[in-house]
């Protein structure tokens, strides 16, 4: 029986290993490879845009080194803080990054704070750097979600929709499987399967569309920070509904944290775009 199965699309994947290869006894995971590819290609796109806008392309190579470090720290802190019940009882696991546990919103917060400090130190226009980098961030997020696919994570509840995905129950983390999903457990050839929304795919496709829209609109931007604002608005619009489907949500007061944060970002992004647009018109 296949490891992964999209019955309504007629796609069956017989074997899908989380590990791509091993070096000196250490496993290299597909998740890390996709993250790495997203970063490398994102930097290339940013450098090309820097050349188009008469900036120094090397600035973005320098920036991404710092941004990656603090994005990982931010992503881990976000996840640990909102999973404190577990980590307070297992403090040694806080630094076990190889076991997973990175939250993208924490990474974004870490990267933005890094950009603010970096721009002040280098005397660089923050809005120009942000507008140049944001489409690349969307591209990197699109790539990273395919790492979730190899890890059998970031999926949603039960569905019979056209993109329904079946996963072997034994190959997913028990904590990611909701009771609603277990209520629709299926058995084929003696193998238990769950059938779920492939929310990793939904978000990957959403981010691809966001990347293309930002790239197409970028030459037409009317003020500094507009691409930055549109990125956050577009990303949050996608995340607010996709997060509602997922079964591995971080919760606060019974509500998905990332969904609440997305709603706040939508409001803040709209307010920012209106304010910044009016400010630029007044300055003309």
């Amino acid at each position: 029986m296949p490891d992964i199965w999209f019955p309504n699309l007629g796609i069956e994947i017989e074997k899908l290993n989380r590990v791509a290869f091993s070096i000196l006894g250490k496993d290299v995971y597909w998740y890390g490879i996709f993250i790495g590819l997203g970063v490398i290609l994102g930097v290339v796109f940013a450098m090309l845009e820097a050349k188009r806008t008469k900036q120094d392309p090397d600035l973005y190579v320098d920036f991404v080194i710092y941004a990656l470090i603090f994005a990982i720290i931010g992503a881990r802190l976000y996840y640990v803080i909102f999973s404190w019940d577990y980590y307070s009882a297992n403090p040694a696991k806080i630094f076990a990054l190889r076991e997973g546990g990175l939250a993208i919103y924490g990474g974004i917060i870490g990267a933005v704070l890094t950009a603010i400090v970096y721009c002040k130190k280098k005397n660089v226009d923050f809005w120009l750097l942000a507008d140049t980098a944001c489409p690349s961030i969307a591209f990197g997020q699109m790539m990273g979600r395919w790492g979730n696919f190899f890890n059998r994570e970031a999926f949603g509840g039960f569905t019979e929709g056209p993109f329904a995905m079946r996963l072997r129950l034994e190959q997913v983390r028990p904590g990611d499987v909701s009771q609603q999903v277990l209520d629709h457990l299926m058995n084929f050839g003696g193998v238990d399967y769950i059938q779920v929304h492939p929310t990793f795919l939904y978000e990957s496709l959403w981010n691809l569309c966001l990347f293309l829209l930002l790239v197409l609109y970028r030459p037409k931007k009317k003020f500094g920070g507009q691409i930055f604002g549109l990125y956050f608005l577009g990303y949050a619009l996608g995340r607010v509904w996709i997060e509602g489907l997922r079964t591995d949500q971080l919760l606060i007061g019974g509500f998905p944290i990332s969904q609440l944060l997305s709603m706040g970002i939508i409001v803040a992004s709209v307010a920012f775009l209106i304010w910044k647009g009016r400010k630029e018109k007044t300055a003309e």
Side-chain angles (χ1 to χ4, degrees):
M1 298 303 293
D3 279 354
I4 299 179
W5 190 358
F6 293 85
N8 298 328
L9 298 177
I11 298 173
E12 295 183 11
I13 301 173
E14 290 299 322
K15 293 293 179 184
L16 192 73
N17 201 325
R18 291 181 173 87
V19 178
F21 54 87
S22 298
I23 300 177
L24 300 176
K26 293 290 186 180
D27 292 335
V28 177
Y29 291 86
W30 282 112
Y31 182 86
I33 290 174
F34 275 97
I35 293 292
L37 281 173
V39 170
I40 292 168
L41 292 175
V43 171
V44 170
F45 290 141
M47 291 175 72
L48 291 173
E49 175 62 7
K51 287 182 180 180
R52 188 187 73 82
T53 53
K54 305 298 188 295
Q55 301 176 68
D56 178 7
D58 291 338
L59 183 76
Y60 291 88
V61 178
D62 189 31
F63 167 67
V64 79
I65 294 171
Y66 297 104
L68 270 177
I69 294 170
F70 289 101
I72 291 172
I73 292 172
R76 186 59 173 174
L77 277 175
Y78 185 104
Y79 189 86
V80 169
I81 288 169
F82 292 110
S83 304
W84 189 241
D85 286 347
Y86 172 77
Y87 287 104
S88 61
N90 301 275
K93 295 289 187 180
I94 291 175
F95 301 100
L97 293 178
R98 287 175 63 83
E99 296 181 13
L102 297 175
I104 188 64
Y105 267 134
I108 292 172
I109 292 168
V112 170
L113 292 176
T114 303
I116 292 170
V117 174
Y118 181 83
C119 289
K120 285 186 177 180
K121 291 287 186 181
K122 295 286 186 178
N123 196 28
V124 173
D125 181 357
F126 171 78
W127 299 122
L128 180 58
L129 183 142
D131 285 346
T132 303
C134 277
S136 297
I137 295 173
F139 183 87
Q141 289 169 317
M142 180 271 292
M143 291 288 292
R145 284 305 176 194
W146 285 96
N148 296 137
F149 173 61
F150 279 87
N151 277 358
R152 281 84 155 173
E153 61 189 7
F155 53 79
F158 173 77
T159 181
E160 294 179 318
F163 296 103
M165 174 177 66
R166 289 177 185 165
L167 302 171
R168 286 177 177 250
L169 180 62
E170 64 191 28
Q171 293 181 343
V172 300
R173 291 190 301 248
D176 291 349
V177 184
S178 67
Q179 186 59 50
Q180 181 244 16
V181 170
L182 287 175
D183 289 343
H184 294 87
L185 196 66
M186 302 176 180
N187 188 284
F188 300 94
V191 178
D192 286 333
Y193 283 88
I194 58 172
Q195 182 167 302
V196 296
H197 282 284
T199 48
F200 82 89
L201 176 61
Y202 301 163
E203 189 169 336
S204 182
L205 293 175
W206 184 275
N207 286 329
L208 175 60
C209 292
L210 179 59
F211 166 73
L212 294 174
L213 286 171
L214 293 178
V215 168
L216 291 172
Y217 186 77
R218 193 162 51 186
K220 305 172 185 177
K221 75 172 186 176
K222 297 177 175 62
F223 54 86
Q226 189 172 25
I227 302 302
F228 173 82
L230 289 173
Y231 160 75
F232 275 97
L233 176 60
Y235 179 70
L237 282 171
R239 193 66 186 269
V240 77
W241 68 270
I242 294 171
E243 191 68 23
L245 298 174
R246 287 176 59 168
T247 60
D248 60 344
Q249 302 158 335
L250 297 174
L251 303 175
I252 184 168
F255 295 97
I257 298 163
S258 292
Q259 197 171 38
L260 293 173
L261 182 56
S262 294
M263 292 176 185
I265 289 174
I266 290 169
V267 173
S269 297
V270 171
F272 167 78
L273 289 167
I274 293 172
W275 169 77
K276 196 73 164 58
R278 287 177 178 174
K279 184 179 178 182
E280 292 298 320
K281 283 184 179 180
T282 302
E284 290 177 358

